[in-house]
Amino acid sequence: MKNKLKRILYVGYYLYKMNRSLFWKFLNFTSRETGKSKLYLIVASINDSILFNVSLLEYFQFRFFEKNQLDKSNWAGTGFMYEYQLAMNPKNVRSILQDKILFLNTYKDFVSHTHLTLNELKKDEQKGAFLLQENTKVVLKNSNGQCGIGIVILNTNELTPYALIHRLENTGNDIVEAFIQQHKDLEKLSPSGLNTLRLITQLNNEDKVELLGARIRVTVNNSIDNMAAGNLAAEVDLKSGKISGHAVYSDITKKDQETHPYTKTVFKGYQIPFFYEAITMVKEAALRFPQNRSIGWDVAITSTGPQLLEANHDWCKLVWQLPVKKGLKPILDNHLKKIKSNTHEYIN
């Protein structure tokens, strides 16, 4: 009863936070595709949200409208992931991943690109002058930003140190980073933005690092690579470092892509450069602060190798599951079962 009440409260949260235009877009599309009424689908999405701990949008993104009960139970949705990541990355230690400034300082051994905070620029404009002189582009970010929201990319020939400070303040950002020039093979895949490798690590009950998966996030005429911004994601085989198959959108109205929509590069079999070096790097980084046990690492690949961009305590279940078209929740359930005797954070 307590668990059901909690799930009902979650539904209220989903309704409050929901992208309503996207919900109606999915609803109309699914109704046309399945012949089921909109009222039926609305009721079904609420019911499955409560039963399977997923959001209302995920009912459509996971295609629950065509799945049986057993299949639905294998998908890790927002509610489950909130509880899982709370157990694995407790609130009192996850700030090191939430705050980009803390992250960059803690994991500086794995970060190669130049970055400055707004406070550093104000104290010493010469640092800003050097950054602008050495780079053709810079990226403005908020230290607590999520999903690429608020990111601004600027050409440095338009800027002075004072103007850079002004732009940071006006855009609500507090970090400026050198624009990373990606490896030529990833530039060939898609040149519109930085295509990043998402590697998900998990410390097991013996505190050894396991890889839960690798995904390449591919920009589609976009300067940022998040799926929520309309971009693609594909599975990368952990043994070969090659893309395993088609790339997918989180928007169910768009078809899976065999080739990139603009560059026409074939996805399946495409080799990710420095893949094994990237895995070695995140395995080492995962042990740097083991209080956070489950992390989604965003890795940039340059001509000289991989480097960390950021890390996520609330790594995305869509990027993880949609490219492989199956629910992967049993993997996480297995980790919970093995460590729950050592934590009091787990919520049943």
Side-chain angles (χ1 to χ4, degrees), residues 273-285:
F274 291 111
F275 183 73
Y276 302 109
E277 291 84 349
I279 287 180
T280 299
M281 179 183 66
V282 299
K283 283 186 173 182
E284 184 179 347

Side-chain angles (χ1 to χ4, degrees), residues 22 26 55 57-63 250 252 318 322:
L22 190 59
F26 288 175
S55 75
L57 284 177
E58 287 159 2
Y59 169 85
F60 297 98
Q61 291 165 321
F62 295 161
R63 303 188 73 85
S250 61
I252 66 169
L318 299 181
L322 293 184

Side-chain angles (χ1 to χ4, degrees), residues 89-104 107 142-146 175 292 310-314:
N89 311 313
K91 287 184 177 181
N92 63 332
V93 295
R94 60 171 56 171
S95 61
I96 204 167
L97 305 177
Q98 289 176 303
D99 187 318
K100 291 180 174 60
I101 297 173
L102 280 175
F103 168 78
L104 290 168
Y107 296 94
N142 186 282
S143 58
N144 293 300
Q146 296 285 325
I175 301 175
N292 290 304
E310 57 184 61
N312 304 272
H313 71 85
D314 54 350

